[in-house]
Amino acid sequence: MSLLNSVLLPPEVKAYLSQGERFIKWDDETTIASPVILRVEPKGYYLYWTYQSKEMEFLDITSIRDTRFGKFAKMPKSQKLRDVFNMDFPDNNFLLKTLTVVSGPDMVDLTFHNFVSYKENVGKAWAEDILALAKHPLTTNAPRSTFLDKILVKLKMQLNPEGKIPVKNFFQLFPADRKRVEAALSVCHLAKGKNDAINPEDFPESVYKSFLMSLCPRPEIDEIFTSYHAKAKPYMTKDHLTKFINQKQRDPRLNSLLFPLARPDQVQGLIEKYEPSGINVQRGQLSPEGMVWFLCGPENSVLAQDKLLLHQDMTQPLNHYFINSSHNTYLTGSQFSGLSSAEMYRQVLLSGCRCVELDCWKGKPPDEEPIITHGFTMTTDIFFKEAIEAIAESAFKTSPYPVILSFENHVDSPRQQAKMAEYCRTMFGDMLLTEPLEKFPLKPGTLLPSPEDLKGKILIKNKKHQSAGCKAPREEPGGEEEGSCPPQVPGGDDTAWPGEEGAELEEEEVAEEEEEESGSLDEEEIKKMQLDEGTAGLEVTAYEEMSSLVNYIQPTKFISFEFSAQKNRSYVISSFTELKAYELLSKASVQFVDYNKRQMSRIYPKGTRVDSSNYMPQMFWNAGCQMVALNFQTMDLPMQQNMALFEFNGQSGYLLKHEFMRRPDKQFNPFSVDRIDVVVATTLSITVISGQFLSERSVRTYVEVELFGLPGDPKRRYRTKLSPSPNSINPVWKEEPFVFEKIMMPELASLRVAVMEENSKFLGQRILPINALNSGYHHLCLHSESNMPLTMPALFILLEMKDYVPDTWADLTVALANPIKFFSAHDKKSVKLKDAMGEGLPERPFSSKSPASGQVNGASAPNSNGAAGMHFGPPTHLEGLHPVCIQDTCWPDHPQSPNSASDSPFGPRWQ
């Protein structure tokens, strides 16, 4: 992230979108079809349409979740509308004219806006280009200045019949304190009566900014300004602003050779961009108001914006990634009585999810169409083919990387399973991966292909039935790898091979598996199983047609970590409930991490979560579990964290795991409280300074700050006091910073900031990866519970990050960072002490036997980015440095050491 230029450019609106197109907008409920002109506002903030009556309707681009055309657009159901569009005539070209825009605050509460163009093939271009605007990374992660600009654009678009801005619109946009709005309008010499109106020409951007400064004064920024500008001068010079940028807005861990300091001649461009006074610009001076707008600009984004783009290595084996995963994807509500919908598959995939679940059950006569539902509950069902059609249309709209279909198959009819397989083949076509890639055969010890290798492919996870001459993945100790496959027992587990020579499962284990899989459990036993596993333990035989579609993701019962290591089959995956996974993690955390280095695991919610609540995914990410499946219909805290993290890396749905979770020669214990080899812990300090437009009511508010990371990381949650007064427009908290002193693995940690009313009503939140954060003063634009950006609410914060160093090593750190300065200060201190005490002091600050002779790894120790996993921050130090020496004690550039008992924060000692 450059401190002088923003990395990402705003989305570009194509000319034809802003010029507009004639459509007919129709609605099935009202059966009304109205001619409209559809346009996109030139800055890409709003999609809007104008009726013949000049009435205008708006749709915020950030609220758009999907666009569809052709056969995937909505079709009118009412006969009245069908007649309007001549849909029942054979030569009708209705499908070539359709456009549907889907919007909503979350994935369940959706609105469908339906349009029909006057010309053919117009809808396709509109659908693709509108969705591109909605999916642009800056649409949801825009700087503060963009959201403030959106307010001005909306005010100037919502004009009355006389072409003026109604003053009542100001009161609607800023409802928290009407008197303050009236006062701000008066300061700008604008009309303030509720029935008055303002000429748009009288409300240019300069007047709008003055209005905001009057409505929402920023005394806290004035204090910052005062501390950096020349005393008794009402401005900041280029030199002062340069000093502020280099000292406060720059990560102190950045190497000045790789990331040069800002220069005054470069900073002049920032003054020209943000300073409202032309005279100040000519003199190279920045006013306090200019400082406010500079701190709202993209150059001061709280995020390292390039990390929002696809930036990670996508050529690693599939199991080296965290994969955005969904549980019981079809449900829109509770696990017991919620509605099922094929639309959920679209919405989940559009959000960037790459693994969806299909609970398949046998369809009833006469059609015998397989259905998807939650078995043994009152949830509604949908046709299997509807879900497949939805997946086929939406699979790669957001991400081009592979989609995994996790089948929980209860269809015990060979005919219906064959029908399921046929739907997959015909609807997915070339997208369906039916055979292993030549370079990645299904053999023990062979790595999985990468997301790049599988780009644009759909993979099936379903039990695999093996035909004669096959090689079967069997998790029984002693099971044969090769040979002919025996006939399968209907209803039996694929991993149980009755009568096969060499099978050495204990008899009671075989009996238990056969009983579970045959469905012979009584009602009480089924209920008991569902309390934990749901219906996952009741899957049936995989017949040839379905199992022939399975290759790299072959599910099997988990036996033990030792047994899985012995078999060494990357294409075998086991699923665990959150309870089972936690049990394994608590007993054998290192082995669980090692298991996930070799093959994949899927975690899913326990059966008792009938309300579709979610477990916290962090614990299982810490163990390297790839598919940590959540209920996407429930926007609780776990889901907020999942959505926030998977926004990064181009919303690809894949995040590369940390090096320690990938390399077989490294050992990682997520519960360890010790230093992690070659990883430098981070100290993060956050000061919550103020808020802007936090609520539509005049209330007192407070802020929660929370850290998600390893169990050994510092205190997890802080909270400010209530704001001093019921002021939600610009409250200021004058409190000490919240410090997370030792974040052991920043690549695995994230920060949550949430704003609440005094009655604990939620107002807004933001969750950000630690290594995606920029140091300095920032405006943190808040999101809703469903991670949608909120236009008005924001916090002003100060973030300070540095490498964690224990107090006992502080002097050594200073010495290494600036040896000349350190020893100069040391010599002066020695002289003073000599004069005061009359006796000599040791000449060397660190003898070769002192604790300070611990290793300092100039390349890999101070740089936590050497591990290419789930990291978001910039490189912080030069690599390949020569050994560091202080007098006759040296620390070579080497990551390993025979003396691992050293207490040095930089690693063990070398001599």
Side-chain angles (χ1 to χ4, degrees):
M1 175 66 187
S2 169
L3 296 170
L4 301 173
N5 301 291
S6 56
V7 172
L8 291 176
L9 296 176
E12 181 182 350
V13 179
K14 294 183 179 180
Y16 82 90
L17 294 174
S18 56
Q19 289 167 2
E21 181 74 43
R22 293 171 66 233
F23 285 85
I24 295 175
K25 187 177 187 300
W26 60 269
D27 184 275
D28 245 332
E29 290 186 9
T30 61
T31 69
I32 293 176
S34 304
V36 298
I37 296 179
L38 186 65
R39 295 185 180 94
V40 175
E41 181 274 322
K43 293 184 178 179
Y45 298 155
Y46 303 100
L47 175 71
Y48 66 103
W49 49 94
T50 308
Y51 294 91
Q52 291 176 324
S53 64
K54 305 299 182 183
E55 182 186 352
M56 188 184 295
E57 291 186 8
F58 289 82
L59 196 57
D60 193 319
I61 292 288
T62 63
S63 72
I64 294 177
R65 294 186 168 272
D66 193 16
T67 56
R68 299 169 195 167
F69 62 92
K71 66 177 182 179
F72 295 113
K74 285 281 187 182
M75 298 293 129
K77 294 179 182 178
S78 79
Q79 191 59 47
K80 178 182 175 182
L81 289 175
R82 294 181 67 86
D83 292 341
V84 169
F85 298 120
N86 297 321
M87 291 184 64
D88 298 325
F89 284 83
D91 296 331
N92 172 55
N93 294 325
F94 181 79
L95 291 180
L96 299 177
K97 303 175 182 178
T98 58
L99 170 65
T100 294
V101 179
V102 187
S103 67
D106 53 46
M107 297 184 200
V108 177
D109 186 12
L110 301 174
T111 302
F112 296 84
H113 309 271
N114 304 303
F115 302 90
V116 178
S117 65
Y118 286 82
K119 296 179 289 187
E120 296 177 4
N121 299 318
V122 169
K124 182 177 185 293
W126 276 78
E128 291 175 350
D129 289 334
I130 291 172
L131 190 62
L133 291 173
K135 292 292 181 184
H136 190 284
L138 281 188
T139 298
T140 53
N141 292 286
R144 182 61 177 160
S145 56
T146 295
F147 288 109
L148 294 176
D149 191 40
K150 281 180 70 173
I151 299 170
L152 173 61
V153 168
K154 191 171 185 179
L155 280 168
K156 299 185 81 167
M157 289 176 71
Q158 291 180 311
L159 305 179
N160 64 16
E162 290 75 40
K164 296 183 178 181
I165 306 171
V167 170
K168 66 179 182 180
N169 289 359
F170 286 83
F171 299 140
Q172 290 171 356
L173 277 171
F174 308 99
D177 194 328
R178 180 165 174 165
K179 289 184 178 180
R180 288 179 69 161
V181 175
E182 291 174 344
L185 289 169
S186 293
V187 168
C188 297
H189 308 291
L190 298 169
K192 62 179 182 179
K194 67 177 181 178
N195 296 320
D196 291 337
I198 299 170
N199 281 317
E201 297 79 16
D202 296 334
F203 199 61
E205 183 181 12
S206 57
V207 175
Y208 169 63
K209 286 185 173 182
S210 297
F211 166 78
L212 283 181
M213 293 298 295
S214 177
L215 176 64
C216 182
R218 303 300 300 278
E220 74 281 16
I221 292 183
D222 290 345
E223 290 183 16
I224 298 167
F225 181 89
T226 302
S227 64
Y228 274 86
H229 84 309
K231 295 190 184 304
K233 299 287 185 182
Y235 55 79
M236 187 184 283
T237 65
K238 281 186 293 189
D239 291 333
H240 295 142
L241 183 55
T242 302
K243 181 181 177 183
F244 171 77
I245 289 173
N246 289 331
Q247 290 185 355
K248 275 298 182 185
Q249 301 303 95
R250 176 186 172 85
D251 192 322
R253 300 167 297 178
L254 288 174
N255 184 282
S256 59
L257 293 179
L258 293 174
F259 300 91
L261 297 171
R263 304 189 312 271
D265 60 306
Q266 296 172 311
V267 170
Q268 175 63 30
L270 297 175
I271 294 176
E272 292 171 1
K273 182 177 180 181
Y274 293 109
E275 174 53 43
S277 166
I279 295 175
N280 282 349
V281 171
Q282 292 177 7
R283 295 173 178 173
Q285 298 169 350
L286 187 75
S287 66
E289 186 176 346
M291 182 71 160
V292 171
W293 301 119
F294 167 59
L295 290 174
C296 288
E299 297 84 359
N300 289 295
S301 169
V302 71
L303 287 173
Q305 290 183 353
D306 53 322
K307 307 308 175 187
L308 290 166
L309 301 174
L310 186 71
H311 67 280
Q312 293 182 340
D313 178 9
M314 302 301 285
T315 63
Q316 301 268 343
L318 203 62
N319 59 301
H320 284 187
Y321 298 83
F322 297 113
I323 303 173
N324 198 356
S325 300
S326 165
H327 171 252
N328 286 359
T329 311
Y330 49 90
L331 288 178
T332 63
S334 78
Q335 305 286 310
F336 183 71
S337 59
L339 297 176
S340 300
S341 170
E343 180 64 38
M344 280 301 294
Y345 286 99
R346 287 189 170 92
Q347 294 303 317
V348 166
L349 290 166
L350 286 160
S351 75
C353 182
R354 297 289 86 190
C355 177
V356 297
E357 185 176 17
L358 301 92
D359 288 4
C360 307
W361 297 81
K362 190 164 60 174
K364 298 175 182 179
D367 298 328
E368 293 192 349
E369 283 288 345
I371 62 171
I372 290 178
T373 190
H374 198 192
F376 307 107
T377 68
M378 294 189 294
T379 57
T380 60
D381 52 64
I382 56 174
F383 286 124
F384 175 85
K385 64 181 178 183
E386 289 181 5
I388 297 301
E389 184 180 53
I391 293 168
E393 193 251 337
S394 302
F396 303 108
K397 276 187 167 182
T398 296
S399 166
Y401 291 100
V403 169
I404 298 165
L405 306 187
S406 180
F407 279 82
E408 187 183 297
N409 198 340
H410 305 277
V411 179
D412 59 1
S413 159
R415 180 172 174 273
Q416 289 196 30
Q417 279 203 24
K419 189 179 284 190
M420 291 164 59
E422 181 62 20
Y423 286 141
C424 290
R425 288 182 184 274
T426 56
M427 292 186 183
F428 294 151
D430 292 340
M431 294 187 293
L432 184 64
L433 187 73
T434 56
E435 298 292 337
L437 304 182
E438 188 177 341
K439 293 181 180 179
F440 302 94
L442 297 178
K443 293 181 178 179
T446 303
L447 297 176
L448 288 171
S450 69
E452 191 66 32
D453 294 320
L454 298 169
K455 214 169 184 179
K457 292 297 181 182
I458 293 175
L459 283 68
I460 302 290
K461 170 185 169 282
N462 190 88
K463 286 191 173 182
K464 188 166 180 69
H465 169 68
Q466 306 294 338
S467 58
C470 67
K471 296 180 180 179
R474 285 161 281 170
E475 287 283 17
E476 296 90 272
E480 295 296 325
E481 290 290 344
E482 301 183 13
S484 62
C485 302
Q488 228 182 355
V489 177
D493 185 356
D494 299 328
T495 60
W497 300 83
E500 182 183 9
E501 255 182 84
E504 297 176 5
L505 268 181
E506 295 292 335
E507 289 184 11
E508 58 266 30
E509 290 180 314
V510 174
E512 181 182 346
E513 287 190 9
E514 288 180 348
E515 180 183 31
E516 287 184 9
E517 299 301 322
S518 66
S520 61
L521 301 177
D522 62 32
E523 189 175 344
E524 286 302 315
E525 289 171 312
I526 289 176
K527 285 182 179 179
K528 184 178 180 182
M529 178 188 295
Q530 284 188 272
L531 287 178
D532 184 23
E533 294 186 42
T535 56
L538 299 171
E539 289 188 79
V540 299
T541 295
Y543 295 103
E544 182 60 33
E545 287 82 356
M546 273 303 296
S547 53
S548 67
L549 304 181
V550 180
N551 37 69
Y552 288 117
I553 307 179
Q554 302 187 19
T556 190
K557 283 188 177 295
F558 175 78
I559 300 298
S560 69
F561 292 129
E562 294 76 16
F563 184 72
S564 298
Q566 175 193 340
K567 293 298 181 183
N568 192 20
R569 291 177 299 224
S570 62
Y571 52 89
V572 169
I573 178 174
S574 291
S575 295
F576 309 93
T577 67
E578 58 180 290
L579 296 177
K580 180 64 176 176
Y582 178 73
E583 179 187 345
L584 290 170
L585 188 56
S586 61
K587 291 179 179 177
S589 56
V590 174
Q591 291 92 322
F592 208 163
V593 174
D594 289 342
Y595 174 92
N596 288 318
K597 292 177 184 178
R598 184 179 56 254
Q599 60 200 93
M600 290 200 285
S601 62
R602 179 177 181 269
I603 317 299
Y604 62 96
K606 61 185 178 181
T608 52
R609 291 188 182 273
V610 294
D611 59 349
S612 291
S613 61
N614 286 301
Y615 55 87
M616 291 300 292
Q618 183 73 49
M619 182 187 309
F620 304 114
W621 288 335
N622 290 346
C625 300
Q626 294 86 358
M627 301 182 200
V628 183
L630 300 177
N631 294 307
F632 271 55
Q633 73 270 34
T634 305
M635 292 297 166
D636 50 12
L637 178 55
M639 192 62 214
Q640 290 169 12
Q641 186 185 14
N642 186 82
M643 292 191 71
L645 291 189
F646 280 106
E647 274 189 80
F648 291 84
N649 200 35
Q651 213 174 359
S652 63
Y654 288 83
L655 295 174
L656 188 62
K657 295 193 291 185
H658 193 280
E659 182 182 20
F660 283 90
M661 296 177 173
R662 297 184 279 118
R663 286 178 51 176
D665 62 326
K666 293 288 184 182
Q667 189 177 84
F668 174 63
N669 181 359
F671 290 104
S672 173
V673 294
D674 299 325
R675 186 188 65 84
I676 301 169
D677 185 27
V678 307
V679 175
V680 172
T682 292
T683 296
L684 169 66
S685 167
I686 174 172
T687 307
V688 179
I689 301 172
S690 64
Q692 295 80 47
F693 306 112
L694 297 180
S695 173
E696 294 183 349
R697 303 186 302 134
S698 187
V699 291
R700 299 177 74 189
T701 54
Y702 65 91
V703 181
E704 290 181 349
V705 178
E706 191 169 5
L707 180 75
F708 303 123
L710 294 173
D713 284 343
K715 178 181 177 180
R716 298 303 178 89
R717 180 182 293 181
Y718 293 98
R719 172 179 162 172
T720 67
K721 296 176 183 176
L722 281 170
S723 53
S725 62
N727 163 26
S728 61
I729 291 180
N730 63 337
V732 176
W733 293 272
K734 292 186 177 180
E735 298 189 18
E736 293 298 311
F738 301 139
V739 180
F740 299 96
E741 188 177 23
K742 184 183 179 184
I743 304 172
M744 294 177 61
M745 191 180 285
E747 294 86 350
L748 270 176
S750 56
L751 182 74
R752 175 180 183 260
V753 180
V755 182
M756 318 288 283
E757 286 187 11
E758 58 183 315
N759 60 2
S760 297
K761 179 187 175 184
F762 172 88
L763 293 176
Q765 58 85 26
R766 199 73 184 274
I767 299 177
L768 299 167
I770 296 299
N771 275 19
L773 296 174
N774 285 321
S775 291
Y777 290 99
H778 303 291
H779 287 87
L780 183 65
C781 300
L782 300 178
H783 286 188
S784 69
E785 287 178 295
S786 55
N787 206 41
M788 300 284 282
L790 300 170
T791 303
M792 303 289 288
L795 290 174
F796 185 55
I797 61 173
L798 170 62
L799 291 173
E800 295 176 289
M801 288 174 286
K802 60 183 179 180
D803 292 338
Y804 166 75
V805 179
D807 292 341
T808 53
W809 296 94
D811 285 347
L812 172 59
T813 308
V814 173
L816 292 173
N818 196 333
I820 296 174
K821 181 178 179 181
F822 175 82
F823 285 108
S824 174
H826 171 76
D827 291 343
K828 290 178 182 178
K829 185 177 179 182
S830 297
V831 170
K832 287 183 180 179
L833 285 173
K834 256 185 185 178
D835 294 342
M837 300 176 63
E839 55 184 69
L841 291 172
E843 294 182 0
R844 292 179 296 175
F846 305 119
S847 71
S848 60
K849 295 182 180 180
S850 102
S853 57
Q855 172 210 1
V856 176
N857 179 353
S860 56
N863 183 4
S864 60
N865 297 281
M870 203 173 170
H871 60 79
F872 300 88
T876 55
H877 300 271
L878 281 173
E879 296 188 4
L881 298 179
H882 295 293
V884 178
C885 296
I886 298 179
Q887 297 196 12
D888 63 351
T889 302
C890 294
W891 297 266
D893 178 17
H894 197 292
Q896 305 296 329
S897 169
N899 177 13
S900 59
S902 168
D903 291 328
S904 165
F906 301 109
R909 169 182 169 187
W910 275 77
Q911 288 185 327

